[in-house]
Amino acid sequence: MLLKSSPVAPGAALLSSAPSPALALLVLTMLAPFALYYGTVASMVATWNSSETFAHGYAILPISLWLIWRRRERFGQLPAVPYPPALLLLAVLGAGWLAGRFGDVSVVMQYCFVAMIPTATLALLGPRLAGAFAFPLMFLLFAVPFGEIFIDPLIHVTADFTVWAVQATGIPVLRNGTRFDLPTGSWSVVEACSGIRYLISSITLGSLYAYLTYSSNRRRAVFIALSIVVPIVANGLRAYMIVMIGHYSSMEHATGVDHLVYGWLFFGLIMFIMFWLGSFWRQDETPAPAKPRADAAIDAAVDAPARARAGAARLMPMAVVVIGLLALWPAFSFVNERANLNPAPVQLGEPDIRLAQASDFPDWQVRYMEPDARLLRTWQVPGAERPVRLEILYYRNQDKQKGLISSVNRLTGNKDAFHPLTSSNRSETFGARALPLRETILNSSNGKLLVWQTMWINGDYLTSNVAGKLRQAQGRLLFQGDDGAAVLLAVPYNDDPKTARAALRAFVAGHFGAVDTALQATRER
């Protein structure tokens, strides 16, 4: 009897040649980080929900899965070979996540978590097969809600460009920080005008477009670079356009909701032009490999069960090691956090400063997360013309809702009477110790404030947020707790900051030792 062989579809042959137990093991390993680092995933989703800037995060995983599905034939063309060196990188990412956890730096935790997925894939499948899906896997990094650190620089870039363009048009401008006045009205570049949404959207879409449109890495890099530069320039032009519309309409247009509508329409037009121009240099995908012959496909189908068992046996030990390594860091964090928890309520002591109390001080309030304890005192320093205000914000058992170092902690709010003009670092001394300080000048229509601020973290004084986060992480790692405080000194003045600076310097030299003693005593209570 002759058996008639029916043709086997090439796609089916490729899928049948891929060991299904091994694929199931891969899927299980890829799902493990989502379960082990659920808190980090939840923090990302919470940011997507609360911020329109990062709402695109919901689309990143589906796009990544679609990109992987487009190249699914690679699973049948390349062998899965475990790659042990990737375990070292996975351990580094785990340690980075732990450091971010101890320092309460969400973006570090989130980037390390997302990077664990392609790294675990590399460890399990090897460089050749994992490399075939490098971009779809790395595209997951766009799901991390990152970019707020660029808001302030972008605000200043936008303000600089807008003022320059308006002056070049021949219109007089009086600038005061990020606020400026035209003869027809006043304008202010705030967070919504920074262009951060345009920039993040452009980079995400630009990277995806470059991957799908070009095969040359050079062309991809050039287009991605353009997707960074173009929205920054476009946002400056957008701000200039809105100011001009408001100016020539006597502030009747482009001053409300229409201002946002004009901005998004302009951004959409710029993106359309950029993608349209980029299409002229598109490159077609390389031809797919030759389809397997029917007899080869039949042989692959016959050998599939044996290959599946061999593939699963080869991948199983690596999968166990990967999952175990992923589980190590959350487990240590769980133990450490409970050991560092300090249930004692904060009892912030009064500094032993024997100066006359003063009550006449401008209406200014620090915009920080609510601390565990707050101390606010105003004194008249002998020989100083203006009073000195001391404010201490003390934090313990810090988390997302209560932290010393956070992007939401600022000296002023957008609607406050005071707004920052300049800021710089300086150093003073009290006793034999150096005191690093951040000096900021706040301006208002009624006068100015000179503010010196520093952070006290487990006995050390710092001004850098990065150094502060590292010190917090070190304290938690060494089971020393996470106590910290913001210490602010302020003096009002009108014209010359030298008199205000002299009053602050006299207070630090003569009385800051008492502040330090009070902080140390609070920590030990």
Side-chain angles (χ1 to χ4, degrees):
M1 176 183 292
L2 296 176
L3 296 176
K4 182 179 179 180
S5 62
S6 59
V8 180
L14 292 173
L15 289 175
S16 65
S17 65
S20 55
L23 286 177
L25 196 62
L26 173 64
V27 172
L28 177 63
T29 307
M30 294 303 99
L31 291 176
F34 291 89
L36 294 169
Y37 297 87
Y38 176 79
T40 303
V41 177
S43 69
M44 293 172 61
V45 174
T47 305
W48 301 344
N49 290 333
S50 62
S51 174
E52 294 181 2
T53 303
F54 305 110
H56 68 280
Y58 280 109
I60 299 300
L61 181 58
I63 292 174
S64 179
L65 293 175
W66 172 69
L67 294 174
I68 292 173
W69 179 254
R70 289 177 71 249
R71 309 196 69 185
R72 62 190 181 278
E73 72 277 0
R74 294 292 188 181
F75 285 107
Q77 295 171 348
L78 298 172
V81 181
Y83 187 63
L87 296 175
L88 179 60
L89 178 57
L90 195 62
V92 171
L93 292 172
W97 177 88
L98 190 66
R101 179 74 171 177
F102 288 165
D104 198 23
V105 187
S106 295
V107 68
V108 173
M109 298 169 60
Q110 292 164 0
Y111 267 122
C112 287
F113 157 72
V114 175
M116 289 176 185
I117 298 173
T119 305
T121 305
L122 174 63
L124 204 61
L125 301 183
R128 291 188 63 197
L129 184 52
F133 301 95
F135 181 84
L137 291 169
M138 298 305 292
F139 188 73
L140 291 171
L141 293 172
F142 284 112
V144 177
F146 173 72
E148 290 182 343
I149 190 176
F150 300 115
I151 290 177
D152 284 342
L154 287 173
I155 286 176
H156 286 87
V157 168
T158 303
D160 292 342
F161 183 92
T162 305
V163 170
W164 171 82
V166 171
Q167 290 175 334
T169 307
I171 300 172
V173 180
L174 177 62
R175 181 175 180 179
N176 190 353
T178 57
R179 303 183 183 188
F180 50 93
D181 298 313
L182 276 64
T184 52
S186 300
W187 298 85
S188 178
V189 181
V190 295
E191 181 175 330
C193 305
S194 66
I196 188 65
R197 295 181 185 178
Y198 304 149
L199 181 60
I200 292 175
S201 300
S202 176
I203 296 174
T204 304
L205 292 175
S207 299
L208 180 61
Y209 182 88
Y211 173 73
L212 295 174
T213 306
Y214 309 116
S215 58
S216 165
N217 289 332
R218 178 178 296 178
R219 294 192 185 187
R220 288 173 175 171
V222 169
F223 191 85
I224 292 173
L226 286 175
S227 71
I228 297 174
V229 175
V230 167
I232 296 176
V233 176
N235 187 60
L237 292 173
R238 176 198 66 83
Y240 167 70
M241 174 189 70
I242 289 173
V243 170
M244 288 294 96
I245 293 174
H247 176 72
Y248 286 113
S249 66
S250 298
M251 304 299 285
E252 293 184 3
H253 301 294
T255 58
V257 176
D258 55 341
H259 157 160
L260 300 177
V261 174
Y262 296 154
W264 277 109
L265 288 176
F266 181 72
F267 173 73
L269 176 63
I270 293 295
M271 290 295 99
F272 173 78
I273 294 173
M274 188 173 73
F275 292 149
W276 176 67
L277 292 175
S279 67
F280 286 98
W281 291 275
R282 70 170 296 120
Q283 295 173 305
D284 295 328
E285 293 185 1
T286 55
K291 298 179 180 179
R293 296 176 303 164
D295 55 348
I298 294 173
D299 291 341
V302 172
D303 293 340
R307 295 180 60 195
R309 290 190 296 270
R314 184 171 61 249
L315 298 182
M316 179 62 77
M318 179 58 73
V320 171
V321 173
V322 167
I323 294 176
L325 192 56
L326 289 171
L328 173 64
W329 313 102
F332 181 79
S333 174
F334 180 83
V335 174
N336 181 273
E337 286 182 5
R338 276 145 186 78
N340 277 306
L341 186 64
N342 187 348
V346 175
Q347 300 178 15
L348 184 55
E350 182 80 24
D352 185 17
I353 298 177
R354 300 177 183 181
L355 294 175
Q357 296 281 338
S359 58
D360 183 19
F361 199 88
D363 184 16
W364 165 66
Q365 183 178 358
V366 177
R367 301 297 181 179
Y368 271 45
M369 289 183 174
E370 189 62 28
D372 291 277
R374 182 193 301 263
L375 185 141
L376 183 64
R377 298 289 184 271
T378 306
W379 291 286
Q380 186 66 51
V381 178
E385 298 178 1
R386 298 295 182 92
V388 174
R389 167 168 287 185
L390 167 68
E391 186 164 5
I392 301 176
L393 310 176
Y394 199 99
Y395 297 88
R396 176 176 291 170
N397 301 327
Q398 300 178 48
D399 53 30
K400 302 301 180 187
Q401 289 72 42
K402 181 187 65 177
L404 170 62
I405 304 174
S406 172
S407 60
V408 303
N409 288 348
R410 299 181 180 180
L411 292 180
T412 63
N414 291 331
K415 297 182 179 180
D416 289 352
F418 285 94
H419 59 275
L421 282 182
T422 62
S423 187
S424 60
N425 289 324
R426 64 181 298 112
S427 180
E428 299 291 335
T429 58
F430 69 96
R433 293 185 62 179
L435 179 64
L437 295 163
R438 183 74 175 171
E439 179 181 279
T440 304
I441 294 178
L442 302 180
N443 188 36
S444 75
S445 58
N446 296 322
K448 298 178 181 179
L449 281 178
L450 186 68
V451 180
W452 284 0
Q453 63 183 116
T454 188
M455 293 180 295
W456 176 89
I457 301 177
N458 284 333
D460 294 333
Y461 290 97
L462 307 158
T463 57
S464 166
N465 286 345
V466 174
K469 286 294 186 181
L470 291 174
R471 183 65 183 89
Q472 285 182 337
Q474 180 189 34
R476 290 182 176 179
L477 181 63
L478 299 177
F479 299 94
Q480 296 174 349
D482 66 351
D483 281 26
V487 183
L488 302 104
L489 297 168
V491 172
Y493 72 99
N494 290 324
D495 299 317
D496 187 5
K498 291 182 180 179
T499 56
R501 196 172 287 123
L504 291 176
R505 186 177 292 114
F507 181 87
V508 168
H511 307 284
F512 200 85
V515 175
D516 181 68
T517 301
L519 291 171
Q520 296 290 353
T522 302
R523 179 189 178 192
E524 295 170 0
R525 287 191 180 97

